[in-house]
Amino acid sequence: MKTTQKHLISFGQRPTELTLMPDFRVVWCEYLVGASGIYLWLEQSPIDPDHAITGHFLVARPGQSVPDDYGYVDSAVDPYGCRAHLVFQLPLEENVEPASPRYPVFSETPLGRIPKPGPLMAMPGMMNRPQTG
């Protein structure tokens, strides 16, 4: 027996992590105006912790660059704001390493945690600073 579940996919540089079964299938992706968020509808078997996998999904805007190996899932359009949001799934082999260089990496400094820029995250003014760690 399969069920359909709705998951909120957050905006930002960090992918949203979901617990999935290997037989999952994306059914629908939509932008809900009242919640101002992207919802991903998935069909899958009931989650069994022994067989569950971790999937990562990223929301990007048109024109925003994403790596070539990210798989396009679906688009969600804000009908009143005329904005499109594209949902991508990271390859499963990348899901194993949560400290992948594509995620924001933090360095410890006396001032606290400072993000190091990566391919998806370029912070103005951070490019000329020496990296620690």
Side-chain angles (χ1 to χ4, degrees), residues 19-90:
T19 302
L20 306 168
M21 290 300 291
D23 65 344
F24 83 95
R25 180 178 72 91
V26 175
V27 177
W28 180 255
C29 185
E30 66 179 334
Y31 180 86
L32 290 181
V33 177
S36 296
I38 305 292
Y39 284 89
L40 187 65
W41 293 79
L42 299 171
E43 177 185 81
Q44 64 181 353
S45 299
I47 294 179
D48 175 15
D50 295 335
H51 297 98
I53 59 173
T54 302
H56 291 91
F57 295 89
L58 179 76
V59 176
R61 297 290 311 269
Q64 181 181 352
S65 62
V66 295
D68 290 336
D69 56 347
Y70 284 20
Y72 171 77
V73 175
D74 201 357
S75 298
V77 179
D78 177 358
Y80 301 110
C82 298
R83 291 184 172 170
H85 304 280
L86 309 173
V87 179
F88 292 90
Q89 180 182 1
L90 279 65

Side-chain angles (χ1 to χ4, degrees), residues 13-14 58 64-67 70 99-107 114-124 126-127 129 131:
Q13 299 293 332
R14 184 117 181 142
L58 179 76
Q64 181 181 352
S65 62
V66 295
Y70 284 20
S100 170
R102 291 196 174 123
Y103 301 158
V105 178
F106 292 91
S107 63
I114 297 177
K116 293 180 183 178
L120 291 180
M121 183 177 130
M123 297 180 67
M126 290 292 290
M127 295 302 184
R129 292 187 186 173
Q131 298 290 322

